[in-house]
Each structure stands twice: as C-alpha cells, then as structure tokens.
Amino acid sequence: MTFAGLRVIHILAVLFWIGAIVSLPALVLTGESAWGWDLHVYTNAIHSLRDGHDPYADGIAVQQAFHASPQANDASIMPPYTYVYSPITLPFMRLVSHLPLTVSGGIYWAVYASAVLLMVWLGTRLFRNSEHVAMLLMAPLAMHFPGLLSNNVILSGNLAYILYAIILAVAWLGWQRGLWWPFYLAVVAASCIKAPLLTLLCIPVFSARKQWMPVGIAAFVGLLLFFMQRFLWPGEFLNYLRAVSLQFEYNHDFGLSPAGLFGEWLYAHHWPYTAGSTAFYIAYAIPVLLSLFLLAKRYSKGDISLEQWAPVLLLGVVLLNPRIKEYDVAPLTLPMALIAWRLFAWKNRPPHIAIEFLLFFLSLQFLSGNDAAVWKPLAGCILTALYIAGAWQLFVTSSVNMAEKYCDKGGNSIAYNRLPTEA
C-alpha cells in the first residue's frame, strides 16, 4: 500500500477511535443505555460495610424481597444483584469505604478506562503486517462488540476489564522477556476476586518452557487462599456461597460457556443442572486441553509463531472457564476477529477477504438482534466454533511448516540426507 493510502487508513482509524469513545457518554446522556450497574453493586457493598453489616447478607435480603414482590414479574425492571466476590476482598473494600464515593468512583473509572484501552492495545500486538490495515480499523469496535457481538457491557464498570488488562499485560511481558512471576502474582490476586480466573494459569503452561512447577505452586496458593476463607470468615463465606447460588436460582445467570449454556437448558427443563453441566464441562475441557497441549508442542518447536498461537491459546484458555460472562469475552474480541480474518484469508485474495469478513460480522449482528435471549448462546457458539476452526487451521499450517522445514525442494527428507560431519 502506498504512503498516501496508509495515511488515509490511519486517519480513518483515529476517527473510528474518536467515534467509539464519544459514543459511550452519548449513550448514557441520551438515556439509550444504563451504566455502572456492576459498580452499583460494589457501592452497595461499601454502604453495608460502612454500617458494619455483612454485604452478602444485605444483598441476599434485598434479592429475596424483590423476588417475593410483584416487581419480579416486570421484565422492564432490572433485578437487584448481590456482591459476589469472596470475603478476602472485604478488608480492601473497608479501606475504600473510608473515601468519599466521588473520589473512589472517580479513581475507579479512570483506572477502568485505562484498562479498556490497554486491553485493546495489547490485542493489536498480535497483528501481522498483512493484517495491520484491516485490524487497525477493527480495533475501536472491540469496545462495543465484545466477542464480535454488539453489547454495552463495557458500561457496566465490571472489575473484570481491569483484571484482564493486568493479566494480559504481564502475559505479554512473559512472552517477550520470559519473565513470568508477575503473571503468577496477578492471576493469584485476581483469583481472590474471581476464582475461575485460575484457569488463566494455562497460558504459561502452553506458551513457555519449564512452567509446570511455578504454575502448580500458583494454583495451590490460589486454591488455598480460597478455601482458607471458610475458617477466617465462616459466616461471610457461607453467605458468599449463598449469594453465588442465587445467581442461578434468581437470575438464571449460567454464563455463555458450553457448560453454562447446557446448565441453563437443563434448568429451563426443570432437570438437575449441577451434575449434568459439570459432566458436560469435563467432556469438552479434556479435548480442549489436549488440543492446546499438541499445538503448544508445535509452538515450542517454532512451527507456529506467537502471533498465530496467542489468539487461539487465549480462546482455548477462556473456554476452560466453566462460567464465561460477557466481560470475559471482551478481551477476546480482537483475537476472535484475527482468527476469523485468517480463516477467510487462508486461500483467498485481499478484496474477497474483506468482503467475506464484513458479511460475517454483519450476519452476526443480524442474528443476535440485540436480544439477550439470543446473545449468550450465539456468543458461546461463536467462541467455541472459532476456537475449533482456529486450532484446526494451526494444525494444518504447522504440519505444512514442519514438512517444509525438514524437506528439501525435491521433497526429500533433509534429516536423512545430511552428509556425516567429520570427527
């Protein structure tokens, strides 16, 4: 592409970024979208702690009162939610409760906005030269299309955006410099807030050498910190578990993972869902782990580059999370777009790639139709399908790379045709 063409692309990208950022407050000010609903839950927890109460017990009481009232039948009213981060986070929340809400809220939103931008920027580090132009224009859309589907979850203020930005940043540090201890600290700390994030420890296992021991130690520490809370804060811990269970009982919020979607289907049919969804999770987690292991061996041999491997790896690792939420697929938007783009580009010419990708993207928005009942199953299916397709493409392309690596132009094995070296 000419210099003038690149300049036009960069100008368009800047305009896209301005539009993406400006549209967020515009949606709020015009009343088109609610905002801060997860932050509202954190605020309620702070109020409970200021009054010397158990935030889980207070939240459960509010939920029970709401669902016993006629308001529970009004679909236009958002039901109340309870603080569902483990009790180990309460000492920090008590410290925050000493600050005025305007101060703590202002700091939080500033950190949150920085984390969103950092997460998108980290996704751009996986672009290859041939993908730079198309993905540069795609990057701003990651703010409004988590998992490639239109959704306003970015306005929720959920802490997951900050956690994922930190974890992906230290993972990039590990990939570039081989320095992984910050990653382990970040994941263990994040697991104190969201325990399923311990599955992210698979990232160094499948993308770096000799990481089994530190990963095992980090997993042990994370699990120990979780279970010890039952003895340090017994009352709060039991209420915390009850608050988590109400996410399924009251809110029917099983997430969009394959196991979550299956559990929701079982629940809708009034069948026991715990054992069924667990068995279903094990049934697909084992093949995912096996495929990650086999592809990781090819990555370690140099048959797959980091830019090729990282998007597929991130999708596979997040699939190992038994309860994937909208904000869990937000960091995967660009990796998913990259996998889709590479599938279309595999045996296609540039004009056809762009047209097919655009049709694919628009078709997804048409299918979702901004319907919450459709969004989750569709997002789960897209995530799973792109992982399978991306992994399959890597198996094929890495096999070709291996063949070219060990064979000469005539197709003869180089390994068996080398001349013996002199002693």
Coordinates of all heavy atoms in Angstrom, one line a residue, residues 70 76-77 105 107 116 132 151 175-177 192 195 203 214 227 258 277 279 289 304 347 354 368 376 413 417 421-422:
P70 N -44.4 -8.2 43.4 CA -44.9 -8.2 42.1 C -43.9 -7.7 41.1 O -44.0 -7.9 39.9 CB -46.2 -7.3 42.2 CG -46.6 -7.4 43.6 CD -45.3 -7.5 44.4
S76 N -39.2 -5.1 32.6 CA -38.6 -3.8 32.3 C -37.7 -3.4 33.5 O -36.9 -2.5 33.4 CB -39.6 -2.7 32.0 OG -40.4 -2.5 33.1
I77 N -37.9 -4.0 34.7 CA -37.2 -3.7 35.9 C -35.9 -4.6 36.0 O -36.1 -5.8 36.0 CB -38.1 -3.8 37.1 CG1 -39.2 -2.8 37.0 CG2 -37.3 -3.4 38.4 CD1 -40.2 -2.9 38.2
G105 N -15.0 6.6 43.3 CA -15.6 6.3 42.0 C -14.9 7.0 40.8 O -14.7 6.3 39.8
I107 N -11.6 7.6 40.8 CA -10.4 6.9 40.6 C -10.7 5.6 39.8 O -9.9 5.2 38.9 CB -9.7 6.6 41.9 CG1 -9.2 7.9 42.6 CG2 -8.6 5.6 41.8 CD1 -8.7 7.7 44.0
V116 N -9.4 -0.6 29.7 CA -10.0 -0.9 28.4 C -9.1 -0.6 27.3 O -8.9 -1.4 26.3 CB -11.4 -0.2 28.3 CG1 -11.9 -0.3 26.9 CG2 -12.4 -0.6 29.3
H132 N -2.4 -5.6 9.4 CA -2.4 -4.3 10.1 C -3.5 -3.4 9.7 O -4.2 -2.8 10.5 CB -1.0 -3.7 9.9 CG -0.8 -2.4 10.7 ND1 -0.6 -2.4 12.0 CD2 -0.9 -1.1 10.3 CE1 -0.5 -1.1 12.4 NE2 -0.7 -0.3 11.4
N151 N -22.9 -5.3 22.2 CA -23.3 -5.3 23.6 C -22.7 -4.1 24.3 O -21.6 -3.7 24.0 CB -22.8 -6.6 24.2 CG -23.4 -6.9 25.6 OD1 -23.1 -6.3 26.6 ND2 -24.4 -7.8 25.6
W175 N 5.8 -13.4 27.5 CA 6.1 -13.8 26.1 C 7.3 -13.1 25.6 O 8.1 -13.7 24.8 CB 4.9 -13.5 25.2 CG 3.7 -14.4 25.4 CD1 3.8 -15.8 25.8 CD2 2.4 -14.1 25.3 NE1 2.6 -16.3 25.9 CE2 1.6 -15.3 25.6 CE3 1.6 -13.0 24.9 CZ2 0.2 -15.4 25.5 CZ3 0.3 -13.1 24.8 CH2 -0.4 -14.3 25.1
Q176 N 7.5 -11.8 25.9 CA 8.5 -11.0 25.3 C 9.9 -11.2 26.0 O 10.9 -11.2 25.4 CB 8.2 -9.5 25.2 CG 7.0 -9.2 24.3 CD 7.3 -9.6 22.9 OE1 8.2 -9.1 22.3 NE2 6.4 -10.4 22.3
R177 N 9.8 -11.3 27.3 CA 11.1 -11.3 28.1 C 11.3 -12.6 28.9 O 12.3 -12.7 29.6 CB 11.1 -10.1 29.0 CG 11.1 -8.8 28.3 CD 11.3 -7.6 29.2 NE 11.2 -6.3 28.5 CZ 11.3 -5.1 29.1 NH1 11.6 -5.1 30.4 NH2 11.2 -4.0 28.4
C192 N -8.5 -14.2 43.8 CA -9.1 -13.8 45.1 C -10.4 -13.1 44.9 O -11.3 -13.1 45.8 CB -8.2 -13.0 45.9 SG -6.7 -13.8 46.5
A195 N -12.5 -16.5 41.4 CA -11.8 -17.8 41.5 C -11.6 -18.5 40.1 O -10.5 -19.1 39.9 CB -12.4 -18.7 42.5
I203 N -2.0 -20.3 30.5 CA -1.3 -19.5 29.4 C 0.2 -19.8 29.4 O 0.8 -20.2 28.4 CB -1.6 -18.0 29.6 CG1 -3.0 -17.7 29.2 CG2 -0.6 -17.2 28.7 CD1 -3.5 -16.3 29.5
P214 N 6.1 -23.7 38.7 CA 5.5 -22.4 39.2 C 4.0 -22.3 39.0 O 3.3 -21.7 39.8 CB 6.3 -21.3 38.4 CG 6.9 -22.0 37.3 CD 7.2 -23.4 37.7
F227 N -10.0 -21.5 50.0 CA -10.6 -22.4 50.9 C -10.4 -22.0 52.4 O -11.1 -22.3 53.3 CB -10.2 -23.9 50.7 CG -10.8 -24.5 49.5 CD1 -10.0 -24.8 48.4 CD2 -12.1 -24.8 49.5 CE1 -10.6 -25.4 47.3 CE2 -12.7 -25.4 48.4 CZ -11.9 -25.7 47.3
P258 N -20.0 -23.4 27.0 CA -20.8 -24.6 26.7 C -21.5 -25.2 27.9 O -22.6 -25.6 27.8 CB -19.8 -25.5 26.0 CG -18.8 -24.6 25.4 CD -18.7 -23.4 26.4
S277 N -24.2 -30.3 34.1 CA -23.3 -29.3 33.5 C -21.8 -29.6 33.8 O -20.9 -29.3 33.0 CB -23.7 -27.9 34.0 OG -23.6 -27.8 35.4
A279 N -20.5 -32.6 34.2 CA -20.1 -33.7 33.3 C -19.8 -33.2 31.9 O -18.9 -33.6 31.2 CB -21.1 -34.8 33.3
L289 N -8.0 -29.2 26.3 CA -6.7 -29.3 26.9 C -5.7 -30.1 26.0 O -4.6 -29.7 25.9 CB -6.8 -29.9 28.3 CG -7.2 -29.0 29.5 CD1 -7.5 -29.8 30.7 CD2 -6.1 -28.0 29.8
I304 N 4.9 -22.6 14.8 CA 3.8 -21.7 14.9 C 4.4 -20.4 15.6 O 5.1 -20.5 16.5 CB 2.7 -22.2 15.8 CG1 2.1 -23.5 15.2 CG2 1.6 -21.2 15.9 CD1 1.1 -24.2 16.1
K347 N -7.0 -19.0 1.8 CA -6.9 -19.3 0.4 C -7.7 -18.3 -0.4 O -8.5 -18.7 -1.3 CB -7.2 -20.7 0.1 CG -6.3 -21.8 0.8 CD -6.7 -23.2 0.4 CE -5.8 -24.2 1.1 NZ -6.2 -25.6 0.8
A354 N -11.9 -9.1 2.7 CA -12.6 -8.0 3.4 C -14.1 -8.1 3.2 O -14.9 -7.9 4.1 CB -12.1 -6.7 2.8
S368 N -28.0 -11.8 16.2 CA -28.1 -11.5 17.6 C -29.3 -10.6 17.9 O -30.1 -10.8 18.8 CB -26.9 -10.9 18.2 OG -26.7 -9.6 17.7
K376 N -26.4 -14.6 24.4 CA -25.5 -15.6 25.1 C -25.2 -16.9 24.3 O -24.1 -17.3 24.2 CB -26.0 -15.8 26.5 CG -25.8 -14.7 27.4 CD -25.9 -15.1 28.9 CE -27.3 -15.6 29.3 NZ -27.4 -15.9 30.7
S413 N 13.7 -35.9 2.6 CA 13.9 -35.5 4.0 C 15.4 -35.0 4.2 O 16.3 -35.7 3.8 CB 13.7 -36.7 4.9 OG 14.1 -36.5 6.2
N417 N 19.4 -37.0 4.6 CA 20.3 -36.8 3.5 C 21.5 -35.9 3.8 O 22.2 -35.5 2.9 CB 19.5 -36.2 2.3 CG 18.6 -37.2 1.7 OD1 19.0 -38.1 1.0 ND2 17.3 -37.1 2.0
T421 N 29.3 -35.4 9.5 CA 30.3 -34.5 9.9 C 31.6 -35.2 10.2 O 31.5 -36.3 10.7 CB 29.8 -33.6 11.0 OG1 29.5 -34.4 12.1 CG2 28.6 -32.8 10.7
E422 N 32.7 -34.5 10.0 CA 34.0 -35.1 10.3 C 34.2 -35.1 11.8 O 33.8 -34.2 12.5 CB 35.1 -34.4 9.6 CG 35.0 -34.5 8.1 CD 36.1 -33.7 7.5 OE1 37.0 -33.2 8.2 OE2 36.2 -33.7 6.2

